Amino acid sequence: MRARVLSGIQPSGNLHIGNYLGALRNWVRSQKDYECFFCIVDLHAITAYQEPAELQAKIRELAALFLAAGIDPKQSAIFAQSDVHAHTELAWMLTCVTPMGWLERMTQFKAKSAKQESVGDGIFQYPVLMAADILLYQAAIVPVGDDQSQHLELTRDIATRFNSLYGDTFVVPKTDLPSVGARIMGLDDPTAKMSKSAIGSGHAIALLDDPAKIQKTMMRATTDSNPEVNFETMGPGVANLLTIYQAFGEKTNEEMRAEFAGMRYGDLKKRVAGMVIAKLEPLQAEYHRIVAEPGYLDGILQEGKERAAPVANQTVATAKSRMGLYKSLATI
Ligand code: ATP
Ligand code: LTN
């Protein structure tokens, strides 16, 4: 049996190049060697209010983007988290083995709750649900961006604790970060991670932005007070633009130096914009082709669920029995 990969993205906001370079591109690559499960984590999205009709639309949009980026539904399961009930079921069992102190330490919880007047319990429990997503599929590898590293460590701690309390039940997963592009920064503020939920037109490049918009956002990107690229003294804004180019173009450090050392910032921005536009063009064309086919996406999500649910239900049954939960006559 091939080892398994699981990862997820929230159907909230617009997918951006950080999501692509940090996570989605590695998902596509992992299909070659692993049995893959890619989850649209709608239950995570509702930890912040989502307009219901918009959430429905975003779930399909995200499924289409997975496909357009190169996820092959014949090889990999694409499904919605709320469609496989085992996610919420295992999340409760894991909640009961997770000390509150572990969750209080999560930097994402601290940052997200600092922004809101009243903090929903869902934001606090968020990483436990994420642990359930992963452990249900006995995933060995989880391809994510750098901002999820702490949640992955927590997932390993929860799995290890459950295994030691109740006997070996879960595979303890490894984090898979890309070597370049694990943390793309905001174009308006290179000290903050590019984020779907950040407001402001100059912040992110969305995967579905048209070339004129990409060009405009890129030309307005924050750099620093130097006139041209200096690899020794550059600030985070220039470093971020170079990272975007290097990741999309799969260039070595030497190639980057040879191409960009001494280049004026205006030319640098034009070149990075050109690279991003060229790399997104086929993905966008494929996306528009997919969404024009009525019913196709629901079929994909149905097949994905049919593949995911038996694996997840088996893990829940094992976890329940390990914990001594009630076994009805039907399941004996
Ligand atoms: P939000 O800001 O609404 O929390 P997000 O942009 O962080 O959203 P998620 O759905 O939380 O997006 O993340 C999906 C995947 O993209 C995760 O694996 C995450 O680590 C990765 N990712 C998110 N932002 C970046 C980024 N700026 N650079 C690299 N990877 C990222
Ligand atoms: N928390 C993740 C999304 C997510 C996830 C997962 C990622 C939910 N469940 C399981 C990997 C594996 C985020 O990107 N904010």
Side-chain angles (χ1 to χ4, degrees), residues 21 180-181 184 238-248 256:
L21 296 173
V180 180
I184 300 297
V238 174
N240 190 40
L241 295 179
L242 291 169
T243 299
I244 292 169
Y245 187 90
Q246 181 170 17
F248 270 115
M256 291 300 291

Side-chain angles (χ1 to χ4, degrees), residues 62-314:
L62 195 51
L65 281 169
F66 287 4
L67 294 166
I71 304 299
D72 174 1
K74 292 204 177 62
Q75 289 185 61
S76 306
I78 299 176
F79 64 102
Q81 184 186 33
S82 66
D83 212 13
V84 178
H85 304 175
H87 289 251
T88 36
E89 212 176 345
L90 185 65
W92 175 254
M93 293 183 241
L94 298 182
T95 294
C96 296
V97 301
T98 306
M100 272 171 72
W102 290 6
L103 299 178
E104 280 162 356
R105 279 201 295 276
M106 294 296 111
T107 52
Q108 183 171 305
F109 162 67
K110 286 195 249 179
K112 290 206 170 172
S113 56
K115 281 194 227 152
Q116 298 177 17
E117 257 173 48
S118 104
V119 181
D121 187 38
I123 293 186
F124 190 60
Q125 294 293 328
Y126 182 111
V128 182
L129 178 60
M130 177 165 161
D133 298 340
I134 297 165
L135 302 181
L136 275 174
Y137 299 91
Q138 307 289 5
I141 313 274
V142 184
V144 282
D146 175 60
D147 62 312
Q148 295 303 312
S149 296
Q150 195 188 32
H151 288 159
L152 260 298
E153 259 167 55
L154 181 84
T155 300
R156 286 191 282 275
D157 288 344
I158 294 174
T160 306
R161 189 175 167 102
F162 190 104
N163 287 348
S164 75
L165 285 170
Y166 297 110
D168 249 7
T169 307
F170 299 119
V171 170
V172 180
K174 289 199 176 70
T175 310
D176 176 24
L177 298 180
S179 54
V180 180
R183 192 177 192 83
I184 300 297
M185 309 308 281
L187 294 171
D188 54 346
D189 174 7
T191 62
K193 174 189 96 76
M194 188 177 282
S195 155
K196 287 200 242 104
S197 49
I199 319 146
S201 60
H203 174 75
I205 290 177
L207 296 185
L208 296 174
D209 279 352
D210 63 39
K213 186 157 184 221
I214 296 174
Q215 183 88 22
K216 190 168 161 212
T217 311
M218 199 55 88
M219 295 316 284
R220 283 167 51 203
T222 302
T223 49
D224 52 48
S225 55
N226 298 326
E228 59 189 37
V229 178
N230 178 325
F231 279 85
E232 272 57 58
T233 60
M234 67 187 168
V238 174
N240 190 40
L241 295 179
L242 291 169
T243 299
I244 292 169
Y245 187 90
Q246 181 170 17
F248 270 115
E250 300 180 64
K251 306 277 183 190
T252 63
N253 291 341
E254 293 67 40
E255 285 169 331
M256 291 300 291
R257 276 182 184 262
E259 189 166 348
F260 289 103
M263 186 181 282
R264 298 191 70 80
Y265 289 166
D267 295 332
L268 162 71
K269 288 175 172 180
K270 272 188 217 142
R271 197 163 298 192
V272 181
M275 169 68 86
V276 175
I277 291 167
K279 291 289 176 176
L280 292 186
E281 204 259 335
L283 182 151
Q284 295 182 349
E286 187 60 9
Y287 173 85
H288 292 297
R289 195 189 62 73
I290 291 165
V291 294
E293 263 186 75
Y296 178 66
L297 288 172
D298 287 306
I300 296 289
L301 291 170
Q302 179 64 29
E303 275 171 34
K305 174 206 175 135
E306 281 166 16
R307 212 182 293 181
V311 177
N313 291 343
Q314 177 59 55

